[in-house]
Amino acid sequence: MTDLETRVASPRAGALRRAAPALAGYAAVRALGLLALFLWSAARDKNAYTLLTARWDALWYVRVAELGYGYEVRLANGDVHSNLAFFPLLPWLERLVAAVSPLSYADGGFLVSLVASLAAAWGIFAVADHVYGRRAGVCAVLLWAVLPVGIVQSMAYSESLFTALAAWALYAVLTGRFVTAGVLALFAGLTRPVGLAVVAAVWVAAVASFVRDRRAPGPDAPHVPAEPAVPAEPAEPATRVRRALGMALAPLGTAGYVLWVGHDTGKGPLGYLDVQAGWRNGFDGGYAFARFVAEKFTSFPSALAGVGLIVGVASVVWLYVTGVRQRQPLPLLVYTGVVTALALCASSYFGSKPRLLLPAFPLLLPLALALARARLRRSTAILGTVAVASAVYGAFWLNGSGPP
């Protein structure tokens, strides 16, 4: 190994060692969740692996991988469910795994999700560690693992893949590597429509950097004695070019797929919105969701669910506001705001909203920071208790109605 190879490998090995406690904890929580699922499913004479790989969206992704686009289901009420609603990166990866191994497309989706979930955990740790330190990074990963709908992270869905790409794109933005961020944003945009949130984070960070460059003193500025906080010097031309290139790359995934759908359907640039309308899914500012919650209060048993929904939404808003007050980096706030808005303000599939919020991991940073500051015994007890509850709930939920 050359000296250069040693210098490159050492930081990577050091980064992995630094993240090792978070990754080990994450793997343990997910293993507990899978164990609970397999035991619960066996008790109900169900196949846990089928629940993970052949239900709801997982079936649609496999169908895209196997047959390509063009499949649709026409319902009795006139709705048209087209597989064009599902972005292509996960099916591409499923097809790749099936091509180079004896695994099926469904097996490939499960494998991709397992690997991507670990990559997502590492990316979440990297972001939280960069902002608040190592202990907060470990707590952030464990909180993401113990979410009530955390079992989705182990399903052949696209949430884990998208979160991995988004987390590492945000880390690249925070560390000033805009070309890397742009490429990761491109792939995130090929994974889910919410890839727009990653694009927004890249763009706002780049624009803010350009603004700082304009305000920074140039080489001809009068000399000012050194102080604890010295203004940043203008970026080098090459740095500005890389920043602009990252901005150019970031939206290509989302824009490319949406424009292709418009061309394929013959409905122009807005054709993808028609596809989503066929699923009765759109953005209405939260009106339909608010009406759905209000309808829960028409009877006593369902009123409890309505109260739970209000508490849940209020908690999400509170966590976001807390992140603002704690002065989270602007790219994180923009990314989280877009993901949260798209999840809460979609007009259909209300039961999917907790799952759609999975990529909004910066919402967990205030809680991670609080746990990091608590005594180790107390934070361990809290996370352990919640992990068991999450495993049981995930097994119950997946054997029942979820996840849509």
Side-chain angles (χ1 to χ4, degrees):
M1 181 179 289
T2 66
D3 291 341
L4 177 59
E5 289 171 332
T6 302
R7 287 195 297 271
V8 172
S10 180
R12 291 178 180 174
L16 180 58
R17 284 195 298 270
R18 186 172 180 83
L23 297 180
Y26 178 79
V29 172
R30 292 281 19 99
L32 177 63
L34 291 174
L35 176 62
L37 174 65
F38 275 80
L39 292 176
W40 193 295
S41 300
R44 295 173 58 88
D45 293 324
K46 290 187 177 182
N47 189 314
Y49 189 69
T50 299
L51 295 176
L52 292 168
T53 61
R55 191 171 187 183
W56 295 92
D57 289 10
L59 291 173
W60 285 91
Y61 284 120
V62 166
R63 191 171 284 116
V64 173
E66 183 178 6
L67 303 174
Y69 286 104
Y71 176 83
E72 63 184 26
V73 175
R74 295 184 177 271
L75 305 183
N77 63 357
D79 291 345
V80 178
H81 289 185
S82 168
N83 65 359
L84 288 169
F86 295 87
F87 277 50
L89 186 57
L90 179 56
W92 286 349
L93 293 175
E94 290 177 341
R95 187 178 298 176
L96 176 62
V97 171
V100 301
S101 73
L103 299 177
S104 68
Y105 296 119
D107 296 335
F110 181 65
L111 178 62
V112 169
S113 290
L114 286 183
V115 174
S117 66
L118 285 170
W122 193 356
I124 292 169
F125 171 81
V127 171
D129 180 29
H130 180 79
V131 177
Y132 292 124
R134 186 183 190 187
R135 190 168 178 183
V138 173
C139 291
V141 170
L142 294 178
L143 284 170
W144 192 65
V146 303
L147 288 173
V149 294
I151 190 65
V152 175
Q153 298 162 17
S154 301
M155 296 181 66
Y157 273 41
S158 61
E159 273 76 10
S160 289
L161 178 60
F162 176 80
T163 304
L165 293 166
W168 283 109
L170 290 170
Y171 179 72
V173 165
L174 294 176
T175 54
R177 291 174 285 186
F178 280 93
V179 175
T180 300
V183 171
L184 291 170
L186 186 158
F187 284 112
L190 288 170
T191 307
R192 298 185 64 82
V194 75
L196 290 171
V198 188
V199 177
V202 173
W203 273 61
V204 74
V207 170
S209 296
F210 281 122
V211 170
R212 284 195 298 270
D213 287 347
R214 292 179 61 87
R215 292 177 178 176
D220 298 328
H223 174 72
V224 178
E227 295 180 1
V230 180
E233 295 183 358
E236 295 293 331
T239 300
R240 298 180 186 181
V241 170
R242 288 193 294 270
R243 195 182 297 155
L245 180 58
M247 292 180 69
L249 289 169
L252 294 184
T254 301
Y257 182 68
V258 168
L259 291 175
W260 178 81
V261 169
H263 173 75
D264 187 69
T265 59
K267 296 183 178 180
L270 300 181
Y272 184 77
L273 297 181
D274 289 336
V275 170
Q276 287 285 5
W279 287 79
R280 296 207 173 190
N281 195 19
F283 188 88
D284 65 356
Y287 172 75
F289 183 43
R291 188 174 61 184
F292 172 77
V293 174
E295 289 173 353
K296 295 294 182 182
F297 290 93
T298 57
S299 62
F300 173 72
S302 63
L304 298 177
V307 172
L309 288 170
I310 292 174
V311 171
V313 172
S315 298
V316 168
V317 174
W318 176 78
L319 287 171
Y320 185 78
V321 171
T322 302
V324 174
R325 290 176 175 174
Q326 291 178 346
R327 304 179 68 84
Q328 286 184 16
L330 182 60
L332 296 188
L333 294 174
V334 170
Y335 167 79
T336 309
V338 174
V339 172
T340 303
L342 291 176
L344 295 182
C345 297
S347 59
S348 186
Y349 296 99
F350 306 114
S352 297
K353 293 190 183 298
R355 171 172 67 86
L356 297 178
L357 284 168
L358 269 178
F361 67 89
L363 287 173
L364 300 173
L365 293 185
L367 298 178
L369 188 59
L371 283 174
R373 291 170 174 171
R375 292 180 179 274
L376 180 61
R377 182 178 298 179
R378 182 179 182 185
S379 58
T380 301
I382 292 173
L383 289 169
T385 302
V386 177
V388 172
S390 174
V392 173
Y393 176 77
F396 166 78
W397 184 53
L398 200 54
N399 274 276
S401 62

